[in-house]
Structure formats: structure tokens, C-alpha cells
Amino acid sequence: MKAVFDAIIAFEKEFNVLTVLLRIVIAVIFGGIIGFERGKHGRQAGMRTHILVCLGGTMSALIGVYGTRFLGFDGDPFRIAAQVVSGIGFLGAGMIIVKSDRLITGLTTAAIMWTTAIIGIGVGIGFYSGALIAVVACVFTAAMLTRIERKRRTSTRVYMEVDNLKNLEAITER
């Protein structure tokens, strides 16, 4: 078992077409898993969006590693990937909507988009175990905890406009 694990680690330390292809395929799968769950519930960002965000995070990490390893650039190989962390906030901000009754929606979708980008960076550097655990945690948080929150809610908000006060008593009776 240790020999298999060591062979996998040695393979991942290489930077060739196969390892790059593997990382891109894993990014598409991981982003797709998260996006499928969000799209299933009709959220603003679905499978395609999450795949692209995860793929972008992966590519930013791969570009940083490639630049330092093969092109001889000095400095931090994750400088490009670090910009994804702040840049994805711009995309996420577009998903946050304030409705007319001052209800804010889209925060979870924006947070999941940001997390998907970070998962992509993890995949790009070959940190598959951490990325996989993050995918499971992300889907669990989005799918299961939403159900728990909905069951916990005890009150309902109702907005009504009444144009005839004489009928108000009839409307408010049980």
C-alpha cells in the first residue's frame, strides 16, 4: 500500500501533459459536483458556472507552478492563484441580491463560488485529498444544512396590502 501511495506522490510531483490533464479533469468533476447540487435547487450559479470557476482556479495554480518551474520566474508561484481569491469576490458580489422587502439572497451561492475557486487552486497544485474533502463539505453544507435550517424556521413572514379597512377584520380572522 505504501508503495502505491509513494508512486502516486511521485507521479504528482511530475509536471507533464498527463498530470495537467488529470488536474483539469478533476477540476471539472469537482466543480460539476458542487454546481449540480446548486443547479438542482434552481440557484443563480449552476453546474457550468461552478465548473468554470473551479477550472479557472486550477489553471491559475498550474500557471504559477509552470512559470516558476519551467520559465524560471522568481517569486511566489501562487501569486496568480492569490488573485483568484480576491477576484472571485467580484463575481460573487454579482450574485448577491437585495429584494424589495430587504431580504438578501445569493450569499450562499457567492460563498460556494469562492470555495469552488479555492478547491480549483488545490486541484491545480495536486492537493487532491484536501480538495475532495472540501467538495464533500461544500455539498454537505449546501444540501443537508439547508434542510436543517428550513425545518428549524418557526415563523413565516406575510406581506399584505389592504385597500378597504372595513374588510381587515375578515382577513385577519382565523
Side-chain angles (χ1 to χ4, degrees):
M1 185 67 167
K2 183 177 179 338
V4 171
F5 189 68
D6 290 341
I8 291 171
I9 290 175
F11 174 74
E12 277 308 310
K13 286 185 178 181
E14 294 179 27
F15 197 91
N16 56 41
V17 173
L18 286 177
T19 58
V20 170
L21 178 64
L22 177 65
R23 291 170 190 194
I24 288 173
V25 168
I26 290 173
V28 169
I29 291 169
F30 285 2
I33 290 169
I34 296 168
F36 177 78
E37 191 284 325
R38 299 307 290 163
K40 185 172 69 172
H41 298 289
R43 300 299 182 220
Q44 298 96 330
M47 189 171 6
R48 291 180 302 164
T49 305
H50 281 82
I51 287 171
L52 292 171
V53 167
C54 195
L55 185 59
T58 298
M59 284 304 300
S60 69
L62 288 171
I63 290 167
V65 171
Y66 182 83
T68 56
R69 193 178 282 184
F70 296 104
L71 300 179
F73 294 151
D74 290 335
D76 185 3
F78 302 112
R79 185 175 292 164
I80 296 170
Q83 299 310 307
V84 172
V85 175
S86 59
I88 200 69
F90 179 76
L91 183 60
M95 301 200 180
I96 300 170
I97 300 169
V98 180
K99 293 184 176 180
S100 60
D101 59 352
R102 292 186 228 145
L103 178 69
I104 298 172
T105 62
L107 287 172
T108 302
T109 301
I112 290 174
M113 291 291 292
W114 184 79
T115 304
T116 303
I118 305 306
I119 290 169
I121 293 170
V123 170
I125 64 168
F127 186 37
Y128 300 132
S129 59
L132 179 60
I133 292 167
V135 167
V136 171
C138 192
V139 171
F140 173 78
T141 300
M144 300 307 295
L145 295 183
T146 299
R147 292 183 184 130
I148 293 170
E149 282 181 342
R150 286 184 184 147
K151 288 180 181 179
R152 201 184 76 194
R153 290 184 185 143
T154 57
S155 63
T156 303
R157 295 176 69 189
V158 177
Y159 176 79
M160 294 187 330
E161 288 186 26
V162 179
D163 60 352
N164 187 347
L165 291 177
K166 293 179 184 177
N167 295 331
L168 183 61
E169 187 175 323
I171 293 171
T172 57
E173 286 180 8
R174 288 189 170 208

